[in-house]
Amino acid sequence: MSTNRNEQLFKDVMGNYPTGVTVVTTKAQDGQPVGLTVNSFASVSLDPLLVLWSIDHGVSSLPEFQAADGFAIHILAGDQQDLCKNFAKKDVDRFSTCNWDFSSHDYPVIEDAFAVLQCKTFKQVEAGDHTILIGEVQDIQKDDTKQPMLYHTRHFGPIPSEFYK
C-alpha cells in the first residue's frame, strides 16, 4: 500500500473515531495567555494522576508550550462550539472571545468548560511531527450542570442525551 493511501486511510479511520474536545492553555514567558483546540487528549496514569496531549510541530505556540512549567486542559462543554472554533483559528486574539482569568496555579482558565485539569509538565516526548506533553494533574474542576463535547467526522457538539439514560 502506498504511503499516500495509508495517510488518507489513517485520516479516514481517525476521523471516524469519536473523541472529546479540549482547549489547552498556558502562560507564555511574556505573561500573555496562549491556547489552542486539541482533540489528542488521553488519561495516562492514576498514580500519579497523569494525562497527555499532543501538539503539531507546525503550530506557532509550540515554543510557549515546550517552555512552560504546565498547562490547563479544558474539556469543553457541548455548548462551546464557538469557543472550539475560535481556538482553532490562526491569527486571532482567541482570549478576547471568552471569559477567562489566571488561576491560582497561574494558568489561563476559561469559564464554562465541562471540566478543567490544571497540570504541571511531567514529561515531553518527540513523536514524529508532534510533541506529546504529559502533565501531572494538580487541580480538577468539574461543572456537573454541563455535558462534554464530542467530535466525530469533522462535526462537534454535545453528547446525545440517550447516552445519559
Side-chain angles (χ1 to χ4, degrees):
M1 203 180 292
S2 74
T3 302
N4 287 341
R5 172 148 164 69
N6 277 342
E7 187 175 306
Q8 186 56 52
L9 195 55
F10 182 78
K11 288 178 181 179
D12 291 345
V13 168
M14 296 310 293
N16 273 291
Y17 179 70
T19 65
V21 183
T22 66
V23 165
V24 183
T25 61
T26 196
K27 183 176 177 181
Q29 301 222 344
D30 66 2
Q32 294 300 306
V34 178
L36 70 160
T37 299
V38 172
N39 74 334
S40 59
F41 165 72
S43 64
V44 176
S45 169
L46 289 175
D47 187 18
L49 288 178
L50 299 176
V51 293
L52 68 77
W53 64 284
S54 63
I55 184 170
D56 188 300
H57 289 164
V59 172
S60 62
S61 58
L62 175 66
E64 284 85 358
F65 281 102
Q66 288 177 318
D69 292 337
F71 45 85
I73 299 173
H74 304 76
I75 299 172
L76 296 184
D79 62 355
Q80 291 184 298
Q81 291 96 335
D82 288 341
L83 181 76
C84 176
K85 290 176 187 176
N86 289 336
F87 274 78
K89 292 178 183 175
K90 295 180 182 181
D91 302 322
V92 297
D93 180 2
R94 297 168 177 162
F95 287 89
S96 70
T97 65
C98 62
N99 293 323
W100 68 277
D101 203 355
F102 285 109
S103 71
S104 61
H105 294 278
D106 211 23
Y107 304 128
V109 172
I110 299 166
E111 291 181 9
D112 298 325
F114 167 72
V116 180
L117 306 173
Q118 294 184 65
C119 305
K120 179 179 176 185
T121 300
F122 182 81
K123 189 173 191 177
Q124 297 183 29
V125 179
E126 297 293 315
D129 58 4
H130 280 65
T131 295
I132 299 167
L133 290 112
I134 301 171
E136 183 172 359
V137 179
Q138 306 292 302
D139 186 48
I140 303 171
Q141 301 160 337
K142 181 179 176 240
D143 185 340
D144 289 324
T145 68
K146 304 269 183 180
Q147 304 230 346
M149 184 181 294
L150 181 68
Y151 176 79
H152 181 247
T153 62
R154 299 191 180 269
H155 296 86
F156 51 90
I159 294 176
S161 60
E162 61 265 17
F163 287 104
Y164 287 100
K165 291 182 180 178

